[in-house]
Amino acid sequence: AEYWSNDRAMAVEDIRFRAGEQWPELVKSQRETDKRPCLTVDKLNQYVRQIVNDGRQNRPSIKVRPVDSGADMATAEVMQGIIRHIEDRSGADMAYDTALDGAATCGQGYFKVLTEYAHDETFEQELVIRRVRNPLTILIDPNSQEADGSDMKFAFEIEEISKDDYELKYPDKSEDNFESDTDYGEWFSDEVVRVARFWEVVEEDRMLYLLEDGSVVAEDQYNELEAAGMSLSSRVKEKRNIPKRKVMHSLVNGKEYLEEPKEWLGKYIPISVVWGNEIDVEGQVIHSGIIRPAKDAQRLYNYSRSAFAERVALTPKAPWIAAEG
C-alpha cells in the first residue's frame, strides 16, 4: 500500500475528475460565495467511451493453436469451444469492458478468474471470469515486471463490509479484537470492517534430470526409480532446479484468518491486470489514462465557458436605443 500510495492517490483524482469534480475546491467555494457561475462542460468522457467502444468492436480473444507433434487441430477446437463457453457463461465481455474503462480513466483495470459451483445441486465447479468494478480494491506485488502481472508473488483483494454482515458471517471473529490494538485502525470503523483475500505464490524446490538417452524425469519420478533399485545417477547428463509454483489463498481481516489458507488449482494468481500508460521513474511506477494529461485543458475550457456565461448574464437583455443627444 505504501509503494502504490501515490499512484492510487492520483488514480482517485482522475476518477473524481471524470465524475465531474473538475473545479478546485477553493476556487469553487469562492465563486459560489460571490454568486458567480461555475460551469462544468465535460469534454473527456466522450474520449473514454470511444476507447471502450473500440474495444467492444475489436474484442480481445483467446486463440488455441496446436504447435507440436503431440497436438492436433481437433483438440485445439474443442479447447477453443470450452473457453468460449466459459466466457459466454461468465459474461466476460463486461469484465473486459470494465477493465478497459479503468485503464483509460486512471491507468489501471482488473478482472478475475474464479471457480463457482455449476448449480445448487452439485459439487462440480466451473471457471468464471468476473469483473472488478473498483480497480482500487486490488493491490498487487510491486516487484511484478510483466505487463499482465503474471509474475506477481502476492496480491490482495480488499472489500469493506458492514459490521452487521461481518458479525453474521464470522460470529467468532469479533471486530472488538481490533479496539485494543491501534495498529489495525484502518481495518475497522464504527460502520464497516475491511476484509481482504490474500493470494500468495509459494515456490518449492524441484530438481529436473536429463538422462543420457534424452529422456527427462522429475525429482519425484527419479526418487521412485532409485527406490525401485534402478541406479540413474550414472546416467544423469544434466540437472537443474525448477521451482514448483503453488498458489495459496486465504481471507484475512488484517489481524487473523477468517478462512484458513487453501490451494488454488493453478500456478498463477488469477487476477489479470490491464494497464494504461505505464512510466517507471527511478523504480517508482506511475500509471495513467487519458484523463490526467487533459485536466488543465478541461479546466481552462470550464473557466472560459463560465466567463462567457457570466458576461452574457450581465449584459442587459433589451438595451434602450436612441439618437445621440
Side-chain angles (χ1 to χ4, degrees):
E2 182 179 354
Y3 178 87
W4 294 116
S5 59
N6 291 336
D7 199 37
R8 291 164 66 84
M10 289 187 287
V12 171
E13 292 179 4
D14 294 342
I15 295 170
R16 291 185 181 276
F17 195 89
R18 183 189 172 189
E21 299 180 18
Q22 299 181 358
W23 286 84
E25 194 60 39
L26 183 62
V27 175
K28 183 178 180 180
S29 60
Q30 184 62 49
R31 291 178 72 92
E32 289 177 347
T33 301
D34 297 338
K35 299 187 184 304
R36 301 176 64 190
C38 194
L39 305 181
T40 299
V41 185
D42 182 68
K43 290 286 187 179
L44 300 182
N45 265 294
Q46 58 182 318
Y47 298 112
V48 176
R49 288 194 295 270
Q50 181 179 349
I51 292 173
V52 177
N53 289 338
D54 286 345
R56 286 173 175 159
Q57 293 176 354
N58 303 280
R59 291 203 178 278
S61 60
I62 301 170
K63 179 68 177 176
V64 180
R65 292 188 176 93
V67 295
D68 60 20
S69 59
D72 60 80
M73 185 63 71
T75 304
E77 289 178 357
V78 171
M79 296 180 70
Q80 184 79 52
I82 294 173
I83 292 172
R84 278 202 211 97
H85 168 71
I86 292 171
E87 291 183 315
D88 291 341
R89 179 181 180 274
S90 307
D93 290 349
M94 294 182 291
Y96 302 152
D97 293 344
T98 304
L100 182 57
D101 188 278
T105 301
C106 62
Q108 50 187 299
Y110 305 89
F111 60 90
K112 302 181 292 187
V113 180
L114 306 174
T115 57
E116 291 182 357
Y117 289 108
H119 54 82
D120 293 341
E121 306 298 329
T122 185
F123 287 94
E124 293 183 355
Q125 298 187 45
E126 293 185 355
L127 288 171
V128 292
I129 298 169
R130 290 287 179 250
R131 72 173 187 154
V132 177
R133 187 176 67 177
N134 181 3
L136 299 180
T137 59
I138 303 292
L139 281 169
I140 72 166
D141 181 4
N143 293 321
S144 173
Q145 299 290 324
E146 297 296 332
D148 59 357
S150 59
D151 60 337
M152 69 176 86
K153 294 296 182 65
F154 62 87
F156 291 90
E157 298 175 57
I158 301 170
E159 181 185 5
E160 291 185 347
I161 60 177
S162 68
K163 275 192 172 183
D164 293 338
D165 290 342
Y166 179 85
E167 292 175 351
L168 188 63
K169 288 183 178 180
Y170 315 105
D172 56 335
K173 307 286 186 180
S174 173
E175 75 278 359
D176 295 338
N177 296 338
F178 294 111
E179 296 181 358
S180 60
D181 199 327
T182 58
D183 291 339
Y184 302 95
E186 295 182 353
W187 288 84
F188 79 103
S189 66
D190 294 336
E191 299 179 356
V192 299
V193 178
R194 180 183 297 177
V195 297
R197 175 70 58 184
F198 173 44
W199 296 90
E200 182 183 22
V201 175
V202 179
E203 292 186 347
E204 300 175 351
D205 288 340
R206 182 188 61 166
M207 297 301 296
L208 199 65
Y209 298 90
L210 174 64
L211 305 182
E212 291 180 346
D213 60 359
S215 59
V216 178
V217 295
E219 184 174 14
D220 51 356
Q221 185 180 2
Y222 179 87
N223 293 335
E224 289 176 2
L225 294 174
E226 287 279 355
M230 298 178 60
S231 178
L232 300 180
S233 57
S234 60
R235 296 164 51 190
V236 173
K237 183 178 180 181
E238 189 177 349
K239 62 180 179 179
R240 64 185 182 127
N241 182 33
I242 306 294
K244 181 181 179 181
R245 291 169 58 96
K246 185 166 64 173
V247 178
M248 306 296 294
H249 66 102
S250 58
L251 192 68
V252 297
N253 63 10
K255 190 173 185 178
E256 58 188 341
Y257 287 113
L258 301 176
E259 295 177 6
E260 292 297 324
K262 52 187 176 182
E263 186 174 358
W264 163 258
L265 297 179
K267 64 178 182 178
Y268 300 108
I269 294 175
I271 297 176
S272 294
V273 181
V274 182
W275 296 131
N277 298 319
E278 186 177 48
I279 302 174
D280 190 319
V281 183
E282 296 183 341
Q284 184 68 44
V285 180
I286 299 173
H287 298 100
S288 64
I290 66 171
I291 299 295
R292 198 169 305 165
K295 283 181 179 179
D296 288 340
Q298 176 65 58
R299 290 192 182 107
L300 184 61
Y301 189 80
N302 289 341
Y303 276 116
S304 65
R305 293 297 89 190
S306 298
F308 175 78
E310 190 173 12
R311 287 197 305 271
V312 171
L314 294 175
T315 301
K317 293 184 179 179
W320 293 99
I321 300 176
E324 184 178 0

